[in-house]
C-alpha cells in the first residue's frame, strides 16, 4: 500500500499533517478517527511509517465475479480485516475481536468511533462498545485523529477524486487504563467513547451532533424518499390536471362545434324558407 498507493497519493494530494510525533514508533496503539470519506483509510496510513490495520465489511471480500476478486485482493493487500456483520452482535463483536488481535501483535489499529461515514461533514455521536472495549481489554493508548477536508476530495458516490490538499491532525494519546476491568460497564464505555469524540471534535473543529450517524442517514433517506414521493405525487397531480384541462378543452371544442353546426343548420333552414317564399311570389 505504501509503495503502490501511499507515495503517489502523497505526491498528488500533498496532505498536511500535524502531531505526527504523537504516534508511537513501536508498540500497540488505537487510532480513533472521524470519518468523512472512503479515502480516509488511505490518507492516514500513507503519512505514517507504520502499518495501520482498519476493519472493513466482509462484503468487500466475498463479492463474486472478477470485480469482486479484484476488490478482495486490494483490501487484503492494504491490510484491511473483514468483519462479518451477520452475527448476533453484528459488527461490534467482530471489530472487538479483530482489534484485540491486531493490538496483541503490537500493531496500530484504526477505527472510526462514529461507526460510519458522516453524511454531511459534521461529527456524530460515537458508538460505545467497539472502540472502548478494545481499549479497555488491551490497555492500548487511544490516539484521536481528525481528517480534514477529505469529504471535499471524494464525496460519497463520487469515483474520481478532486485534487486538493487534505489535512490530518493527530492528538495526544489518551490513557484509559484507569478503567481496567470495567469493559462491560455501559456507563464507562459511554464515558470513554465520549471523551475520544470530544478530543476529535477539538482537533477537527467539526460541529457535533448528539445522535448516531446511522440514525441521521436513515432520517435523510426517509426524507429523500418522502421528497421523491411528493415529487411523484406532484407530477401525477400535474398530469391529472393536464388531462382534466385537455378533457375540458375537448368538451369546449365539441360544444363549440355543436353550436356552429346548429347555427349552420338554422341558417340553411332560414335560407330554404326565404327561397320558398321567393318562389311563391314569383309564381303566376
Amino acid at each position: 500500500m505504501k509503495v503502490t498507493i501511499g507515495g503517489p497519493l502523497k505526491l498528488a494530494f500533498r496532505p498536511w499533517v500535524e502531531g505526527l510525533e504523537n504516534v508511537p514508533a513501536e508498540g500497540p496503539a488505537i487510532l480513533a478517527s472521524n470519518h468523512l470519506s472512503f479515502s480516509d483509510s488511505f490518507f492516514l496510513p500513507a503519512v505514517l511509517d507504520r502499518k495501520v490495520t482498519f476493519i472493513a465489511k466482509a462484503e468487500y471480500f466475498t463479492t463474486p465475479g472478477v470485480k469482486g476478486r479484484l476488490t478482495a485482493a486490494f483490501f487484503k493487500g492494504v491490510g484491511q480485516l473483514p468483519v462479518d456483520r451477520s452475527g448476533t452482535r453484528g459488527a461490534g463483536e467482530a471489530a472487538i475481536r479483530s482489534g484485540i488481535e491486531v493490538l496483541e501483535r503490537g500493531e496500530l489499529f484504526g477505527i472510526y468511533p462514529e461507526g460510519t461515514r458522516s453524511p454531511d461533514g459534521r461529527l456524530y455521536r460515537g458508538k460505545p462498545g467497539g472502540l472502548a472495549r478494545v481499549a479497555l481489554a488491551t490497555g492500548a493508548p487511544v490516539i484521536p485523529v481528525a481528517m480534514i477536508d477529505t469529504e471535499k476530495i471524494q464525496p460519497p458516490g463520487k469515483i474520481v477524486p478532486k485534487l486538493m490538499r487534505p489535512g490530518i491532525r493527530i492528538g495526544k494519546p489518551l490513557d484509559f487504563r484507569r478503567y481496567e476491568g470495567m469493559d462491560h460497564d455501559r456507563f464507562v464505555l459511554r464515558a470513554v467513547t465520549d471523551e475520544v469524540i470530544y478530543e476529535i471534535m477539538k482537533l477537527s473543529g467539526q460541529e457535533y451532533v448528539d445522535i448516531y450517524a446511522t440514525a441521521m442517514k436513515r432520517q435523510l433517506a426517509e426524507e429523500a424518499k418522502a421528497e421523491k414521493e411528493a415529487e411523484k405525487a406532484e407530477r401525477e397531480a400535474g398530469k391529472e390536471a393536464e388531462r382534466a384541462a385537455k378533457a375540458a378543452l375537448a368538451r369546449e371544442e365539441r360544444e363549440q362545434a355543436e353550436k356552429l353546426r346548429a347555427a349552420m343548420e338554422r341558417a340553411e333552414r332560414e335560407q330554404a324558407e326565404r327561397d320558398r317564399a321567393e318562389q311563391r311570389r314569383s309564381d303566376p
Side-chain angles (χ1 to χ4, degrees):
M1 187 276 188
K2 293 184 182 296
V3 174
T4 61
I5 297 178
L9 201 68
K10 289 192 290 184
L11 183 64
F13 293 93
R14 299 180 299 113
W16 56 265
V17 188
E18 294 178 1
L20 201 57
E21 68 279 2
N22 292 322
V23 180
E26 59 182 21
I30 301 170
L31 298 175
S33 172
N34 59 342
H35 198 12
L36 299 173
S37 168
F38 176 79
S39 60
D40 293 336
S41 300
F42 302 102
F43 280 114
L44 180 56
V47 302
L48 300 177
D49 293 331
R50 299 182 60 186
K51 174 185 176 182
V52 183
T53 300
F54 285 89
I55 55 175
K57 59 184 180 181
E59 289 85 345
Y60 287 143
F61 299 82
T62 58
T63 303
V66 176
K67 182 179 178 181
R69 288 194 295 272
L70 291 174
T71 301
F74 173 77
F75 277 94
K76 290 177 183 176
V78 297
Q80 304 288 297
L81 293 175
V83 175
D84 184 1
R85 302 187 295 181
S86 62
T88 305
R89 297 292 296 277
E93 290 296 328
I96 291 167
R97 291 193 301 270
S98 300
I100 291 174
E101 291 172 2
V102 170
L103 294 167
E104 285 178 343
R105 295 197 299 265
E107 300 175 1
L108 297 178
F109 177 62
I111 191 169
Y112 301 112
E114 294 168 277
T116 186
R117 279 179 287 180
S118 170
D120 53 16
R122 295 185 293 177
L123 182 66
Y124 285 82
R125 192 182 193 197
K127 289 194 170 184
L131 165 65
R133 286 180 61 187
V134 170
L136 299 184
T138 62
V142 179
I143 302 173
V145 177
M147 306 301 296
I148 299 171
D149 289 338
T150 53
E151 82 282 10
K152 298 176 183 176
I153 293 175
Q154 192 178 27
K158 185 176 181 181
I159 299 176
V160 180
K162 177 182 178 182
L163 282 176
M164 61 177 291
R165 294 190 74 186
I168 302 172
R169 192 171 283 128
I170 304 172
K172 295 185 179 299
L174 304 174
D175 187 352
F176 294 108
R177 286 178 295 180
R178 62 187 183 278
Y179 296 122
E180 184 178 358
M182 304 174 70
D183 53 319
H184 291 288
D185 187 317
R186 62 188 181 93
F187 296 105
V188 171
L189 297 179
R190 169 49 61 194
V192 170
T193 304
D194 287 347
E195 184 174 340
V196 174
I197 288 291
Y198 179 70
E199 292 299 322
I200 294 174
M201 182 186 69
K202 291 196 299 183
L203 292 169
S204 67
Q206 291 171 277
E207 177 188 349
Y208 175 70
V209 185
D210 195 26
I211 62 173
Y212 294 125
T214 49
M216 176 57 73
K217 285 185 175 181
R218 285 194 298 270
Q219 179 180 327
L220 293 174
E222 290 170 0
E223 290 176 356
K225 182 180 179 181
E227 185 177 350
K228 287 182 179 179
E229 290 177 350
E231 291 176 354
K232 181 179 179 181
E234 186 177 350
R235 287 195 300 270
E236 290 297 327
K239 290 179 181 178
E240 184 62 32
E242 185 179 355
R243 286 194 292 268
K246 288 181 178 179
L249 180 61
R251 286 195 301 272
E252 184 178 353
E253 289 176 347
R254 286 196 300 271
E255 290 173 358
Q256 291 292 336
E258 288 292 335
K259 289 179 181 179
L260 179 60
R261 185 169 59 255
M264 292 178 64
E265 291 176 352
R266 186 168 56 253
E268 289 176 356
R269 289 196 299 271
E270 292 174 351
Q271 183 62 43
E273 287 294 331
R274 287 193 295 270
D275 290 343
R276 284 195 294 273
E278 182 66 27
Q279 181 65 38
R280 285 194 296 272
R281 283 195 297 270
S282 62
D283 285 343

